[in-house]
Amino acid sequence: MESIPGMTNVDRYRHMWELILNQYTRFNTSVDQATWDDAEKKWKVDVQVSNGKDSEYASAYTISCDHLLSAVGQLNVPQYPAIAGLDSFTGKKMHSARWDWSYDLKDKRVALIGNGATAAQIAPEIAKVAKSLTIFQRTPNWIIPRLDAPISDFRRALYRYVPPIRHRYRAGMMDYRETFYAGVADPNSDFEKLLESMSQDMMKQQLKDKPELWPKLTPNYPTGCKRVIISDDFYPIFNLPNVTLSTTPITSITPTGIQTADESHDVDLIILATGFRTVEFMYPIRIFGQNGQSIEEIWKGGAKAFYGVTVPGLPNFGMLYGPNTNLGHNSIILMIEAQSRYLNQLIRVVLDARKRGQSLSLTPKPARVDAYNAELQSVLRTSTFAHPNCQSWYKTAEGLVTNNWSGTVVAYQNLLSRIDWTDYDVDGSGSGLVSAKPPTNIGRVVEEGQTSLVSLLLQSTAVVGAVAAALLWRNQAVVARLMGRGRA
């Protein structure tokens, strides 16, 4: 077992998810449109059934609900590059997020467009089997060591039988990741310079015989402007005889391959590792809120939400991993857990009204949303995310950062640990349930370290002593015999 889980470990969690949540999930079903009914104070959600067997009963239907929650996230709809002739290629073409597992890469001439996080994960594996691999790079990325290593049986035993050590290790991981915030958000921080140094040192060590590649693989922007890539095996592939880096701009796709400004590349397969349509969030689902206003109208000029979870003009609507909740330094799961706790409180009061035979809608006040986002953007404008030297999926073409959070995970969790009901416009016959309601303290799950190393050692000693005492107690007869032999 390694500290960073592989696909096998992830599949185990997925299997558990299927066992628990299958009964609540409708598969082979896509949402086309959701419309808020002002009179009924309900959402009408239009869905399409894609599977042939499932669609025999009905190929489309509408669901009515009191509260609508989006969990589509930011990274779900592939972004296809606007390259002339893309559809003219007669070989095999696929986006990395729509992988064709039936296609055999063995001995194929492969072109990989893009060199971000996805490319760094798949390129080393492709290079092992492909006849040739050409990576087409628009801009280089900062890559830092992964530092993955097997977890020994001794360490696993410690984590299992001495819980304080496991808890402190988990908290230490949280503390370590939170320190990354300065490195990816502040272009002038010492930690940012440290990350740059780590990347440069690893690149020059792993490509010591390829100094001509060093300038091509070195970004001209601070770490954090684009996603920092964590990999130990991306740079080494450029030492292989079948791998080539192309940094000349692509001018077109031809029927046989890729044409750059100075060369033609005939290939069998083009892989588009070109990311996702991130700044559109709900695309391609059509959303219509109060008075029939579309989400495109609400988000004209850039997506925004209150705490990243509720949207003005969309009553009883919530988002997980919505606008300005992405991270460049820690786990998104920590953000989503805080969002879930917050949204559950909103959903609970709406359902409580329904149980009483009443209607209730909650919509964030536009003035409150504007004030929150103005403060958010004032921080983001000076961060590395907004740096002019790179165009990332964190921001719109105009440079507005719509995807990333402006602080640490702990700061965000604290923000969502309390609901001030005056932040919301309340409507419906059940308004009285909220109008005089005091703020609700939700609290948060404390992930960061709360125990010093000295306290940890004392706790661990106490645990080991307790375990030893318990074993002695359970085996008093054995101990007595041993002691008797010693006296004899």
Side-chain angles (χ1 to χ4, degrees):
M1 179 179 289
E2 297 184 334
S3 56
I4 299 177
M7 182 176 291
T8 302
N9 302 97
V10 174
D11 280 344
R12 291 174 184 166
Y13 286 106
R14 186 179 66 180
H15 179 62
M16 291 301 297
W17 177 88
E18 291 172 348
L19 290 175
I20 298 170
L21 296 180
N22 266 6
Q23 58 183 316
Y24 304 109
T25 306
R26 300 191 185 188
F27 296 98
N28 303 308
T29 304
S30 60
V31 175
D32 285 346
Q33 179 173 305
T35 305
W36 173 254
D37 188 314
D38 288 309
E40 293 187 23
K41 292 185 172 35
K42 291 181 181 290
W43 283 97
K44 304 299 175 65
V45 184
D46 300 328
V47 302
Q48 293 283 336
V49 182
S50 56
N51 182 274
K53 182 178 180 180
D54 292 339
S55 63
E56 289 179 3
Y57 175 72
S59 60
Y61 56 91
T62 299
I63 300 173
S64 178
C65 60
D66 297 280
H67 202 287
L68 180 62
L69 180 63
S70 168
V72 300
Q74 300 184 15
L75 308 174
N76 60 88
V77 179
Q79 174 71 54
Y80 290 89
I83 302 176
L86 184 62
D87 294 331
S88 69
F89 181 60
T90 57
K92 178 69 176 179
K93 177 183 64 185
M94 57 183 167
H95 193 281
S96 56
R98 299 292 183 267
W99 196 265
D100 183 355
W101 292 97
S102 67
Y103 187 82
D104 187 2
L105 276 65
K106 185 176 175 57
D107 296 327
K108 298 295 194 302
R109 299 168 299 171
V110 181
L112 179 59
I113 299 179
N115 72 316
T118 298
Q121 294 174 69
I122 65 177
E125 300 304 314
I126 295 171
K128 294 176 183 178
V129 296
K131 179 179 181 180
S132 64
L133 171 62
T134 304
I135 299 175
F136 293 85
Q137 172 187 282
R138 183 174 60 179
T139 54
N141 292 277
W142 290 108
I143 302 176
I144 61 176
R146 192 179 187 192
L147 302 177
D148 192 17
I151 300 177
S152 67
D153 290 340
F154 176 72
R155 283 179 60 193
R156 293 176 67 184
L158 278 178
Y159 295 155
R160 171 172 292 184
Y161 298 112
V162 189
I165 291 181
R166 183 176 75 248
H167 298 160
R168 189 62 187 84
Y169 175 71
R170 174 65 179 81
M173 292 174 63
M174 174 69 171
D175 297 340
Y176 175 66
R177 298 303 298 178
E178 286 286 78
T179 62
F180 265 66
Y181 173 72
V184 302
D186 182 357
N188 300 310
S189 71
D190 291 338
F191 203 95
E192 192 279 333
K193 303 307 177 188
L194 174 62
L195 292 178
E196 287 190 14
S197 177
M198 289 171 61
S199 178
Q200 289 284 285
D201 290 346
M202 182 174 69
M203 178 187 67
K204 292 176 181 179
Q205 180 184 21
Q206 294 182 337
L207 296 174
K208 59 183 178 182
D209 296 326
K210 296 289 183 72
E212 70 278 7
L213 292 181
W214 296 353
K216 296 181 179 180
L217 293 170
T218 301
N220 66 342
Y221 55 82
T223 57
C225 185
K226 300 177 73 171
R227 180 177 175 181
V228 177
I229 298 172
I230 303 175
S231 174
D232 294 326
D233 54 3
F234 181 67
Y235 286 141
I237 65 174
F238 296 109
N239 292 315
L240 301 176
N242 65 328
V243 177
T244 303
L245 175 67
S246 175
T247 58
T248 307
I250 297 174
T251 58
S252 65
I253 304 294
T254 68
T256 59
I258 296 177
Q259 180 66 50
T260 63
D262 59 2
E263 189 177 358
S264 295
H265 302 263
D266 289 343
V267 297
D268 303 303
L269 168 67
I270 296 177
I271 300 173
L272 306 172
T274 48
F276 301 87
R277 300 178 66 153
T278 57
V279 297
E280 296 164 281
F281 289 93
M282 295 301 300
Y283 179 87
I285 303 172
R286 299 183 299 276
I287 306 289
F288 298 93
Q290 290 173 322
N291 303 315
Q293 189 178 31
S294 70
I295 199 168
E296 288 82 12
E297 294 174 294
I298 296 171
W299 280 346
K300 186 177 181 180
K304 61 182 179 180
F306 186 54
Y307 295 165
V309 295
T310 56
V311 181
L314 301 182
N316 294 358
F317 177 79
M319 301 184 74
L320 299 175
Y321 197 22
N324 293 113
T325 63
N326 182 62
L327 299 174
H329 72 284
N330 210 329
S331 171
I332 297 301
I333 294 174
L334 303 172
M335 304 287 279
I336 294 174
E337 287 174 344
Q339 293 161 8
S340 176
R341 292 163 65 88
Y342 184 94
L343 287 169
N344 273 330
Q345 294 297 321
L346 300 182
I347 295 172
R348 181 175 288 114
V349 73
V350 170
L351 296 183
D352 185 33
R354 188 182 73 170
K355 290 178 182 178
R356 298 166 183 258
Q358 300 171 330
S359 62
L360 177 64
S361 68
L362 302 171
T363 314
K365 294 178 178 178
R368 187 68 184 90
V369 178
D370 290 341
Y372 166 73
N373 278 274
E375 182 180 356
L376 183 81
Q377 291 299 330
S378 69
V379 177
L380 290 172
R381 276 193 294 272
T382 61
S383 70
T384 58
F385 309 136
H387 198 280
N389 282 4
C390 76
Q391 177 60 42
S392 73
W393 61 265
Y394 299 157
K395 55 189 178 183
T396 66
E398 294 74 31
L400 180 69
V401 180
T402 57
N403 292 63
N404 279 21
W405 166 237
S406 61
T408 64
V409 167
V410 172
Y412 185 78
Q413 290 175 335
N414 283 326
L415 192 66
L416 271 68
S417 67
R418 180 177 183 272
I419 294 181
D420 186 342
W421 299 97
T422 63
D423 291 333
Y424 289 86
D425 284 324
V426 184
D427 192 21
S429 58
S431 298
L433 296 174
V434 176
S435 58
K437 191 177 179 67
T440 299
N441 291 312
I442 307 169
R444 71 178 186 91
V445 177
V446 177
E447 304 275 352
E448 67 273 19
Q450 301 290 307
T451 306
S452 69
L453 291 177
V454 173
S455 297
L456 175 63
L457 290 173
L458 291 174
Q459 291 179 33
S460 301
T461 302
V463 170
V464 172
V467 170
L471 290 173
L472 290 172
W473 177 261
R474 291 181 59 185
N475 296 277
Q476 293 180 68
V478 174
V479 174
R481 286 198 299 271
L482 291 174
M483 292 179 68
R485 289 175 186 173
R487 286 193 296 269

